[in-house]
Amino acid sequence: MKNSGRAAALFLFPSFLFVLIFSLVPIFESFRLSFYRMILTLPWLGQKFVGWQNYLDLLTDPVASHSLLTTLIFVTVTVPLEVLLGLAVALVINEPFRGRGLLRAVVLVPWAIPSTVASQMWRFIFNDRYGLFNYFLFGDQTELYLAPLADPQLALGAIMVADVWKTTPFAALMILAGLQAVPDELYEAASVDGAGGWQKFRRITLPMIKPAILLAFLFRTIDALRVFDLVFVMTQGGPADSTNVLQFYGYKKSFAEGMIGAGSAVSVLVFFLALLFALLYIRILG
Amino acid sequence: MAKLAVRNLTKTFGANAVLREISFEVADGEFCVLLGPSGCGKTTLLRLVAGLEEASGGMISLDGQRIDDLPPQKRDVAFVFQSYALYPHMSVYENMAFSLRLRRLPEDGIRQRVREAARLLEIEGQLEQKPQELSGGQRQRVAVGRAIVRQPKIFLFDEPLSNLDASLRASMRVELARLHRRLRATILYITHDQAEAMTLGEKIIVLHEGKIQQLGSSSAIYRRPANPFVGRFVGSPQMNLIEGRLDEKRAVFRSGGLEIDLSEALSEGWEGYAGKALTVGIRPEDLLFAGRDDAWAQAEVEIIEDLGSDRFVHLRCGEMELLARIPAHMAVNRGEVIRLTGKPSRLHLFHQGKRVQ
Amino acid sequence: MIGALSLLPFLWFVLTSVKSAGQITAIPPQIMPAFHADFYRSAVSEHGLFRYLANSVIVAGSTTLISIAIGALAAYALTRFRFSWARSCLMLLLAISMFPQISIAGPVWKILSHLGWLNTYQGISAAYVSLSLPLAIWILSTFFRELPYEIEEAALIDGCSRLQALRKVVLPLAAPGLFTAAILVFIHAWNEFFFALIILTNSNLQTLPVGIALFPGEYTMPWGEIAAASTMATLPLVVLTLLFQRRIIRGLSAGAVKG
Ligand SMILES: Nc1ncnc2c1ncn2[C@@H]1O[C@H](COP(=O)(O)OP(=O)(O)OP(=O)(O)O)[C@@H](O)[C@H]1O
Ligand SMILES: [Mg+2]
């Protein structure tokens, strides 16, 4: 069409405006601020260029490195678990049976629930006096009851359980999409060639859905790196910083302490971590 | 209705020159067929006329007015797509009425025009149905109906019959011809089916590699193909093309074991080609089995395809393979060696890709 | 089994919301609730549940409308016009959605405070629109791409302008896609917590997720009220999921975008 460039620009303009003001500019601002010292709520104090100081502070702050470690543990435990469980769920809800549509909808529920609701819900379940968790472990012996969210040994685990519950459906959906793209003829051909159930899974299903699985890994990793809502509601980073993941650490720096430069440095760090993982997965994907 | 004129039309996609310096005219009320193999740029040419694609050069005019700067909605052309492109969310009636509504015609006028078109196309019973409830042939009719109600300056058809099965195609072909006679509409019609082109086209344009190879009536194109490509593309089964050379001293053409006297076909002008490479084309129906004297060559019968009404005989003559079409009653057996000949007036001679004679 | 695992924890919370105060802390846990509406009543009267609900509806609703309207225009241009930088646009969107959204919260806060839009509906909605646009545009493009272009060209030849073709032919045909994208954007905006937390500090304007997260009471948690509010916050979503399960799955796997 004539003038398509100009017409396209016109159609794209409103979206572009939003994305520019509330995404692109903030992203660049985030990078820029990470080299400045500035108090968020006291802007009249001005900004001071401090070079790499914010990053150096991060490196030397033991809380920050502990926070990085916590985040990495969180990612390496939850993501493989979610993808594995997601794969199992996807295999089940891909089979044709009566009520499959209903089951798929039910499986989606944890994904659809607001994360703060999920957090409060799990906080209630992990309650130290009347939570279901304790009841299932110890029954009536209330003297044995644990306080998982107040125990530095257990708090992170409790948050991981909540996260796995909430986001496994998403991994399952991504893998389901991959499963649905495998043509039935392939299985039929394999049956004719004499493959059994397990062999079909190993030789056909797995290779065919490998991209979907990797994609699920990628999305889940990027997301797990910036886990925040669960921590905010369930533990506020405690006890004893045991659940103080990077994103929460950055939030506290920016909005509780108002040190937006330091907070931005954390953001940039999280971004590069995500990018690193993304590139890694893309390499594996080929 | 109107007269279409295309001058030096050129279209390139990136570095790919799809159409090169195309010029032709379609007279008022004429049924013009664009014929060419797949990928030769037919659709592109039609889309340029419709305004769905922007030309890289040249001009297009309707009734003497340039239209190449106008958007499609201002050109007053109707386009029947290969896939029909019916609006799936509208009934057949709404599909046909859509363009009239856009032009704010009174509802009465719209109803009248749609009914009339539906009657003409025999889809009156389907007016309330949705396109996906129709058969292929009915969809095709709706697509044509949508074009007819507009009473446009020119109809553009892009292989409208190619999605139909063979028998439906044959009957729709006749109906389209009848429709054209009734409406006396100016039509530019694309096909890659030469039989369709021959039966429908008052004028045929043969397109190949972005260039017009030949332009003329169907009989002219069949009888006097302008080059070997047209010779082979038009006519079924395909014309035999024999590469060879003219003798230095006489008007005799030689290729392998084959020898043809061209003194009649070339008459006086043969000296100009003395010793030069020539291509001789002869249609399978023009190859004759000869007596002893005037034979061009001997050939062995390899395969016989019996079509009932007549037979295709595949012949081997040294390195060369030739095809003859003979009446069904003529006796011939596989493995038999026969003598070949043909009428000089039925020979097509080409030199350097161009017709000579 | 799978169904039970995904549903039971939440059902437990729903049951909690209709129990009596004594039942909540009972050991062994009591499964059958007393079906009291007390917690709902106090959540409404003492904690302003309806206010949160109204705020959520306004914010998520306007975010959805705006995102889909301008996202549809953008997706249409990206899939329909031939121009050289269409691919770069889509890639840019993908890159933006890769960026940790929380990381841009500080600068967004600064911009909104410049505009005087902190603690306003338009402020939070504007932020949400820009967060949802990549998802909306991505999903809508996959739907637009499936519509045969020829139908639109037929409309142009029939006399439509570009905008008319969009309105009369493309949008009706793309309605399922628009609807799918709208559901996903709505769920996303309804559930968003972090931006709401920092932009809406005035409790009169806060949305449900913030209200639920910040429920008052450090030591004795008002579990009944929290459960009641949670049920209210989640019910619309559960209904949406049950009704439109197929669309949601389709939308999420379209281009495999995170919702
Ligand atoms: N939008 C486009 N971008 C790039 N190349 C194109 C485009 N449209 C067509 N072409 C190229 O132009 C050439 C001619 O295409 P066109 O569709 O006109 O052929 P056609 O004669 O209609 O073939 P068919 O009989 O298969 O429909 C093809 O080589 C095609 O690859
Ligand atoms: Mg074509």
Side-chain angles (χ1 to χ4, degrees):
Chain A
M1 299 264 17
K2 227 180 162 131
N3 291 333
S4 346
R6 214 186 301 159
L10 208 66
F11 276 48
L12 285 168
F13 180 72
S15 297
F16 178 72
L17 202 64
F18 271 99
V19 170
L20 178 74
I21 298 180
F22 296 106
S23 292
L24 282 180
V25 169
I27 286 174
F28 286 111
E29 184 70 357
S30 207
F31 276 99
R32 194 184 66 83
L33 282 177
S34 70
F35 296 104
Y36 283 82
R37 170 151 308 164
M38 180 195 168
I39 313 287
L40 184 65
T41 46
L42 309 170
W44 52 87
L45 292 183
Q47 317 175 345
K48 185 162 159 264
F49 182 77
V50 293
W52 295 94
Q53 192 56 48
N54 289 325
Y55 291 95
L56 289 177
D57 288 348
L58 264 186
L59 281 181
T60 49
D61 182 358
V63 181
S65 38
H66 180 252
S67 170
L68 175 64
L69 185 70
T70 310
T71 306
L72 289 179
I73 293 174
F74 181 83
V75 170
T76 44
V77 174
T78 55
V79 173
L81 210 58
E82 286 158 8
V83 173
L84 217 62
L85 286 173
L87 174 63
V89 172
L91 285 172
V92 171
I93 60 177
N94 189 41
E95 291 300 315
F97 57 86
R98 278 191 52 180
R100 178 175 71 171
L102 187 68
L103 183 62
R104 283 185 182 177
V106 165
V107 165
L108 269 176
V109 166
W111 164 82
I113 287 180
S115 53
T116 54
V117 168
S119 312
Q120 292 287 26
M121 181 189 95
W122 282 101
R123 207 170 147 210
F124 181 54
I125 290 173
F126 283 124
N127 185 284
D128 56 347
R129 281 179 295 128
Y130 37 82
L132 275 188
F133 167 79
N134 275 316
Y135 182 72
F136 278 133
L137 281 188
F138 306 111
D140 294 337
Q141 301 163 275
T142 45
E143 67 281 4
L144 292 178
Y145 276 19
L146 300 170
L149 296 178
D151 184 338
Q153 309 282 316
L154 299 177
L156 190 60
I159 289 183
M160 287 176 181
V161 169
D163 190 69
V164 169
W165 179 80
K166 168 109 180 76
T167 54
T168 294
F170 180 75
L173 277 194
M174 306 224 42
I175 296 172
L176 178 67
L179 279 175
Q180 285 172 332
V182 185
D184 281 342
E185 289 91 69
L186 275 187
Y187 293 110
E188 285 160 12
S191 301
V192 173
D193 286 344
W198 169 246
Q199 276 169 319
K200 272 192 259 182
F201 178 74
R202 274 263 350 246
R203 309 250 169 235
I204 295 175
T205 313
L206 268 188
M208 292 291 289
I209 61 170
K210 194 176 132 199
I213 292 181
L214 281 173
L215 216 57
F217 258 109
L218 173 63
F219 279 120
R220 283 307 315 141
T221 306
I222 291 175
D223 225 39
L225 278 172
R226 46 198 200 199
V227 58
F228 176 84
D229 300 3
L230 291 172
V231 173
F232 182 92
V233 177
M234 288 173 78
T235 61
Q236 287 280 329
D241 279 339
S242 64
T243 59
N244 190 10
V245 292
L246 273 179
Q247 202 64 251
F248 191 77
Y249 173 80
Y251 160 77
K252 275 204 305 202
K253 273 259 178 281
S254 286
F255 295 99
E257 301 173 24
M259 306 292 289
I260 191 153
S264 296
V266 177
S267 295
V268 172
L269 179 70
V270 173
F271 170 68
F272 278 110
L273 268 178
L275 196 66
L276 196 77
F277 276 103
L279 291 178
L280 200 72
Y281 288 123
I282 289 170
R283 285 242 8 198
I284 300 175
L285 263 171
Chain B
M1 284 302 142
K3 181 181 122 178
L4 172 75
V6 171
R7 290 271 162 273
N8 301 326
L9 197 62
T10 299
K11 176 71 187 173
T12 51
F13 287 113
N16 180 11
V18 176
L19 294 174
R20 291 178 254 180
E21 302 277 315
I22 301 280
S23 299
F24 66 91
E25 282 181 8
V26 184
D28 190 8
E30 189 173 37
F31 198 128
C32 174
V33 174
L34 259 175
L35 175 66
S38 191
C40 71
K42 304 181 297 288
T43 300
T44 307
L45 179 50
L46 213 62
R47 292 170 58 85
L48 284 169
V49 175
L52 297 171
E53 209 81 62
E54 201 182 347
S56 317
M59 59 162 270
I60 307 167
S61 65
L62 259 181
D63 269 347
Q65 279 189 331
R66 283 193 67 158
I67 56 165
D68 30 329
D69 287 335
L70 298 177
Q73 59 267 34
K74 299 244 172 76
R75 293 194 181 191
D76 199 11
V77 301
F79 199 116
V80 177
F81 290 85
Q82 187 168 359
S83 60
Y84 313 143
L86 301 177
Y87 308 122
H89 57 306
M90 299 181 195
S91 67
V92 168
Y93 182 91
E94 290 300 326
N95 260 283
M96 298 212 273
F98 186 63
S99 62
L100 305 178
R101 290 250 157 80
L102 285 169
R103 276 187 264 156
R104 305 185 191 287
L105 257 61
E107 201 60 29
D108 282 351
I110 294 178
R111 194 170 319 120
Q112 192 195 335
R113 281 210 211 173
V114 172
R115 297 234 170 266
E116 202 172 88
R119 181 147 24 85
L120 205 62
L121 295 162
E122 297 170 13
I123 46 171
E124 287 161 293
Q126 277 77 44
L127 283 177
E128 294 316 312
Q129 280 171 298
K130 287 273 173 71
Q132 56 269 32
E133 302 166 69
L134 302 179
S135 71
Q138 287 170 333
R139 282 180 211 185
Q140 209 277 327
R141 282 159 206 259
V142 177
V144 174
R146 194 168 65 179
I148 289 179
V149 294
R150 301 243 331 253
Q151 306 178 346
K153 291 207 176 114
I154 185 168
F155 287 95
L156 306 172
F157 285 91
D158 189 357
E159 309 202 24
L161 305 185
S162 62
N163 284 340
L164 305 179
D165 64 49
S167 67
L168 201 53
R169 201 179 318 164
S171 67
M172 276 310 293
R173 202 158 70 196
V174 178
E175 280 188 43
L176 279 178
R178 196 174 292 144
L179 203 65
H180 172 242
R181 239 194 15 237
R182 282 188 62 164
L183 300 172
R184 284 318 312 172
T186 314
I187 293 179
L188 185 55
Y189 182 106
I190 287 186
T191 180
H192 64 250
D193 177 345
Q194 50 99 16
E196 211 171 292
M198 305 292 270
T199 51
L200 287 172
E202 294 169 325
K203 178 195 280 172
I204 295 180
I205 298 172
V206 183
L207 200 63
H208 179 47
E209 292 179 336
K211 283 208 185 105
I212 292 185
Q213 304 291 322
Q214 192 170 1
L215 186 155
S217 70
S218 51
S219 64
I221 281 176
Y222 187 78
R223 295 226 188 87
R224 295 182 58 81
N227 55 41
F229 171 80
V230 177
R232 269 188 96 87
F233 193 71
V234 177
S236 168
Q238 285 185 343
M239 175 188 275
N240 297 296
L241 286 178
I242 307 162
E243 312 264 350
R245 197 167 278 284
L246 203 65
D247 192 281
E248 297 275 359
K249 312 221 166 53
R250 298 186 300 141
V252 168
F253 171 86
R254 285 203 189 81
S255 171
L258 184 132
E259 215 178 273
I260 305 177
D261 182 358
L262 293 184
S263 53
E264 199 173 318
L266 278 174
S267 59
E268 307 306 302
W270 75 267
E271 283 100 341
Y273 303 98
K276 302 235 170 89
L278 279 184
T279 303
V280 169
I282 181 154
R283 297 200 182 276
E285 55 269 38
D286 295 334
L287 263 185
L288 304 172
F289 294 177
R292 195 161 300 266
D293 302 335
D294 53 349
W296 296 343
Q298 291 201 333
E300 187 190 337
V301 176
E302 279 197 324
I303 295 170
I304 302 168
E305 288 179 277
D306 204 328
L307 278 90
S309 58
D310 44 21
R311 284 196 260 182
F312 294 167
V313 182
H314 295 258
L315 302 162
R316 173 159 293 282
C317 177
E319 295 285 280
M320 225 179 316
E321 286 174 32
L322 296 172
L323 181 67
R325 178 179 188 160
I326 60 169
H329 55 78
M330 239 175 91
V332 65
N333 296 310
R334 218 174 73 198
E336 191 178 339
V337 176
I338 49 110
R339 289 160 204 282
L340 282 177
T341 187
K343 283 195 192 134
S345 62
R346 293 298 179 92
L347 291 176
H348 307 275
L349 306 184
F350 306 102
H351 175 60
Q352 294 182 335
K354 289 215 185 67
R355 184 176 190 92
V356 300
Q357 269 159 335
Chain C
M1 174 64 185
I2 291 169
L5 272 181
S6 39
L7 216 49
L8 279 186
F10 182 65
L11 272 184
W12 180 243
F13 220 34
V14 174
L15 288 180
T16 302
S17 74
V18 288
K19 284 179 181 171
S20 63
Q23 280 185 310
I24 289 182
T25 54
I27 284 293
Q30 299 185 352
I31 292 180
M32 269 320 285
F35 291 109
H36 276 289
D38 293 356
F39 291 136
Y40 285 87
R41 229 168 279 137
S42 76
V44 170
S45 59
E46 286 164 40
H47 302 278
L49 178 58
F50 282 159
R51 204 178 56 233
Y52 291 118
L53 197 64
N55 290 337
S56 269
V57 169
I58 292 170
V59 170
S62 52
T63 299
T64 308
L65 285 181
I66 300 173
S67 303
I68 298 304
I70 69 177
L73 283 179
Y76 179 79
L78 288 175
T79 49
R80 287 310 202 228
F81 297 119
R82 258 180 259 138
F83 59 104
S84 43
W85 34 281
R87 251 190 86 77
S88 339
C89 281
L90 278 173
M91 285 299 121
L92 179 70
L93 284 179
L94 198 66
I96 287 176
S97 59
M98 286 254 312
F99 202 86
Q101 292 177 349
I102 289 178
S103 316
I104 62 175
V108 168
W109 188 92
K110 265 180 61 188
I111 291 168
L112 288 177
S113 105
H114 273 301
L115 293 170
W117 279 9
L118 288 175
N119 279 313
T120 59
Y121 289 134
Q122 68 265 34
I124 187 77
S125 302
Y128 281 1
V129 167
S130 76
L131 292 184
S132 342
L133 272 176
L135 172 78
I137 294 177
W138 200 272
I139 293 179
L140 288 171
S141 326
T142 61
F143 276 97
F144 280 148
R145 219 170 274 131
E146 281 171 21
L147 293 182
Y149 192 30
E150 286 183 350
I151 290 185
E152 235 175 294
E153 295 186 326
L156 290 183
I157 288 179
D158 270 350
C160 287
S161 67
R162 272 271 166 196
L163 271 175
Q164 276 177 318
L166 183 59
R167 212 179 65 228
K168 300 198 169 177
V169 176
V170 181
L171 286 187
L173 291 177
L178 291 179
F179 190 65
T180 304
I183 293 177
L184 290 174
V185 169
F186 183 85
I187 292 181
H188 191 257
W190 182 270
N191 291 355
E192 207 286 333
F193 169 61
F194 185 74
F195 277 79
L197 176 71
I198 62 158
I199 293 172
L200 304 174
T201 45
N202 176 348
S203 70
N204 282 324
L205 290 163
Q206 282 171 346
T207 54
L208 273 169
V210 181
I212 289 167
L214 299 182
F215 238 88
E218 259 316 289
Y219 299 103
T220 51
M221 291 297 294
W223 283 116
E225 283 86 348
I226 294 180
S230 296
T231 307
M232 292 294 282
T234 311
L235 213 60
L237 302 182
V238 171
V239 171
L240 276 181
T241 344
L242 290 178
L243 285 181
F244 302 116
Q245 161 262 129
R246 201 163 290 146
R247 278 179 197 290
I248 291 175
I249 292 182
R250 170 115 198 274
L252 279 179
S253 43
V257 189
K258 165 88 178 69

